[in-house]
Structure formats: C-alpha cells, structure tokens
Amino acid sequence: MARLFLGIESSCDDTAAAVVSDDRRILSSIVADQASLHAAFGGIVPEIAARAHAEKLDIAVEAALNKACIGTSDIDTVAVTAGPGLIGGVLSGVMCAKGIATGLGRPLLGVNHLAGHALTPRLTDNVAFPYLLLLVSGGHCQLLIVSGPDSFQRLGGTLDDSPGEAFDKTARALGLPGSGGPAVEGEATSGDPERFRFPRPLLDRPDCNMSFSGLKTALVRERNALVSGSGGLSAQDRADLCASFQAAVTEILAVKAARATESYLSLNPRTPVIAVAGGVAANAEIRGGLDAVATRYGLGFVAPPSALCTDNAAMIAWAGIELDRIANTGLVPLVARPRWPLDTSQPALLGSGTKGAKA
Ligand code: KG4
Ligand code: ZN
C-alpha cells in the first residue's frame, strides 16, 4: 500500500501543507499566501511572516488532511522545510512538524527547500537522474546537475539578484499591482520586447554565472527618461518596458542554460533532460526560451505546472519521500537552518556573509 507523507513549508511568505503518496499522487496541496500582510511594507517583513505562519500552520495542515480525506493516523511520515529561508518562519514550521510527528509517533524528516524545488520534476514527470535543472525563484538562481535526492552539482548561478527579485523590483518600479512576476508577465503580453535593449551581463564569459542587478537599474533609468520626457508612462510604455525586461531575463537564462547543457551532456546521461523549477519557472516566455535550448540540443524539456513551481508543500513531502528511500543520508539532525547550500563542495556565489553560503 502507498505510504502517505505530510509536507509542511513555511520558509518564506507562503504557509503550505500537503499530502503526497510515495506512488507520486498529490492528495492535497494547500497554500495560504501572506501578500496582504506585507503589502504596505514593499517587501516581506520576517517577524510578521513568522507570526502568521505560527497562526496558520495548523489550519493549513487540517485543510490538507481534509482535502486528502484522511485522518492524522493515516500519515506515515512528516517532512518539513528545515531551511534555507527566513529563520522565524522555518522555526514555526519545524516546531509544528515536530509536534505532529511526536504526537503521532511517526518519523520526521528535515528537507532543504531548494531540494524540494529541484526534485519537483521527478514528482510531476518521473524524470530520471541525472538531469540538468535551472532553479529560478525569488531567492535563488542556479544551474545544477541533479544526480540523486541529495546529490547536486552547481554549474553556475547568479552573482547578485535573483530573476524573481528583478521581476518583483520591476513591478514595483512601474507601480504594477499584485504579485511581481505574474504582473510583469501579464503586462509584457501586449508589449514590444525589442523597444528597449536592456543589458545582458556576463554573456561574454565562458562560465554559467549570471547577473541581474544591472537590469533593474537600466529599467529604472529608462522609466525615469520616459517620465521626464513625456510627463509620465503610457500603458504602452509600461508594456514595452516589461516585455523588453522579460526578453533580457529570458535570453540570459537561455544562453547560460545552453552553456550548462554542454557540461551536462559530457556525463552521457541516458535520457537527457533540461528541467526548470522555482517560482520564476511559471513564466511562459522563460519556459519557451529553455524549451528552445532543449530542442536545439535534442534533450527533453520538463516544466512542472505553475502551482508546483511556486512555493508549495507537495514538493517538500515529495523530497521527503525521495530522501526516505535512500536510507539515512537524508536523515540529518533536524535543526532549522537559515542557510543551507545544495552543493556544499563549492564556494558561495552570493551572500556568504560570516555564517556560510546561503545557496
Ligand atoms: O519559488 P518561489 O515561490 O519562492 C521562493 O522560494 O523564492 O518564487 C517566488 C518568485 C517571486 O519573485 C515571483 O515574482 C516569481 O517567483 N514569479 C514569477 C512568476 N510567478 C512567480 N516570475 C516571473 N513570471 C511569473 N509568471
Ligand atoms: Zn521557493
């Protein structure tokens, strides 16, 4: 009989719980966002996020169990995001998961949030190891070879902002309402991607590293020029800025993914695949750019449905299932970790600070 894993995710601003079976069925996936709580602050306030998680986690867990039509005693294992992320939120999730697992007398697994994103293509499409993954989200951007549930080789990544941050900052700079990425993507559909030529830094370098912070600065410069030239932005200006911005991000990701593909193919994978995961992978233009790279090299392309690209707990439950299968290696002592790189063999690319690599 299939075993059921309860997944819990609270590392950023989504409170999520899900029930997933080890035969790859998502019985439920509940995601409660906190957008309205942070809207007035122009970004996520960690303390507000942590309190909201503490209040909403048990409600999310109950909803996940109800939707899956199961009771607590049907849960075989609890898997929880133990990092990286905002430490208050991670702690809220870990404490909730520890309480449930202890109360039920069931095993508890600490999952790396990034591994959750990285292993999603196996949940949705049963992709075989090793595959090339672009993990692209609000906090991260990495090209990885995924060879096992806890085996990741980083080929490159962003040296500064993540694409998600760049989308969010662009939306704010243009006064777009709602969530950054989807708002920019929506505007871009009626825009001209060639009206503005935004920078594509580091494309002349042979490695797989990327940079997105200059892109946002260039966009603000164009916006300011338009405002001072004609007294404001027209709807078309806004759409053209978004489309041109999105085209630059897509090209950077596609060129670097193509470069990573060459390293990946040297491993002679039997069923070579490029997969994409993380919130920004919900973007159709970016998916299209990567799909074209995969086609050019004769590789398969896998992009999970949008709801499984953005933060969710089904990916955490699934990563728990994968870790559980490889006995012991995944069973790290369960402490909440604000920083937790996937590939520990390499130096940090960004934000290493005094406490070690974030990603
Ligand atoms: O993976 P995620 O939900 O959270 C993190 O772990 O960071 O990613 C959130 C990020 C946000 O920056 C959001 O603006 C971006 O993903 N995003 C998108 C789209 N949907 C979400 N970016 C571009 N296009 C989208 N359709
Ligand atoms: Zn995420």
Side-chain angles (χ1 to χ4, degrees):
M1 211 173 92
R3 294 167 68 226
L4 301 182
F5 278 56
L6 171 67
I8 294 177
E9 156 63 35
S10 57
S11 65
C12 193
D13 62 343
D14 291 305
T15 310
V19 178
V20 178
S21 68
D22 65 356
D23 57 1
R24 298 177 45 243
R25 281 177 300 125
I26 301 172
L27 276 66
S28 63
S29 179
I30 305 293
V31 182
D33 77 41
Q34 304 176 348
S36 61
L37 298 179
H38 303 287
F41 302 97
I44 298 164
V45 184
E47 182 58 22
I48 292 177
R51 279 170 192 274
H53 286 307
E55 282 168 16
K56 296 280 164 57
L57 272 163
D58 51 353
I59 298 170
V61 169
E62 193 175 14
L65 295 174
N66 288 343
K67 181 99 191 283
C69 297
I70 61 165
T72 47
S73 58
D74 297 313
I75 295 295
D76 290 287
T77 299
V78 180
V80 61
T81 299
L86 300 172
I87 190 64
V90 176
L91 274 169
S92 299
V94 167
M95 297 315 292
C96 172
K98 280 189 176 176
I100 294 171
T102 307
L104 294 174
R106 298 287 197 274
L108 174 65
L109 289 169
V111 169
N112 183 315
H113 176 88
L114 301 173
H117 281 303
L119 296 168
T120 300
R122 286 175 53 78
L123 167 62
T124 57
D125 293 81
N126 208 8
V127 172
F129 295 124
Y131 53 95
L132 178 66
L133 180 85
L134 173 66
L135 199 174
V136 63
S137 71
H140 302 277
C141 179
Q142 305 179 38
L143 280 156
L144 299 158
I145 294 174
V146 185
S147 303
D150 65 349
S151 177
F152 305 94
Q153 183 193 347
R154 194 189 68 214
L155 300 175
T158 183
L159 301 177
D160 43 50
D161 288 357
S162 70
E165 263 177 286
F167 268 98
D168 294 339
K169 287 175 181 169
T170 294
R172 237 174 288 144
L174 299 179
L176 301 179
S179 177
V184 172
E185 183 174 18
E187 284 288 320
T189 52
S190 50
D192 173 4
E194 288 174 9
R195 174 160 166 207
F196 304 99
R197 178 75 194 168
F198 289 129
R200 277 98 162 133
L202 307 186
L203 291 196
D204 54 333
R205 296 217 201 145
D207 60 29
C208 296
N209 291 334
M210 299 163 252
S211 164
F212 296 95
S213 64
L215 192 51
K216 165 204 71 201
T217 313
L219 180 125
V220 167
R221 204 178 308 122
E222 287 292 357
R223 178 205 65 184
N224 291 347
L226 287 166
V227 169
S228 62
S230 43
L233 290 181
S234 69
Q236 195 58 52
D237 291 336
R238 218 173 258 126
D240 293 345
L241 284 166
C242 287
S244 302
F245 162 83
Q246 189 173 264
V249 176
T250 301
E251 187 179 336
I252 295 168
L253 293 174
V255 168
K256 294 293 179 166
R259 210 154 284 165
T261 298
E262 285 162 20
S263 311
Y264 166 61
L265 287 177
S266 68
L267 297 177
N268 292 319
R270 222 176 321 149
T271 43
V273 163
I274 300 184
V276 63
V280 180
N283 186 286
E285 193 72 20
I286 292 172
R287 286 173 183 244
L290 296 168
D291 197 359
V293 172
T295 304
R296 179 149 39 100
Y297 284 88
L299 277 65
F301 176 66
V302 169
S306 297
L308 293 173
C309 285
T310 48
D311 284 352
N312 67 87
M315 69 180 192
I316 302 304
W318 176 254
I321 290 167
E322 294 250 30
L323 288 170
D324 187 57
R325 280 188 192 143
I326 56 167
N328 292 330
T329 44
L331 305 178
V332 290
L334 213 179
V335 289
R337 300 173 63 174
R339 290 159 188 257
W340 188 356
L342 280 179
D343 181 353
T344 46
S345 68
Q346 298 197 51
L349 276 176
L350 81 170
S352 57
T354 53
K355 293 184 184 148
K358 253 200 252 178

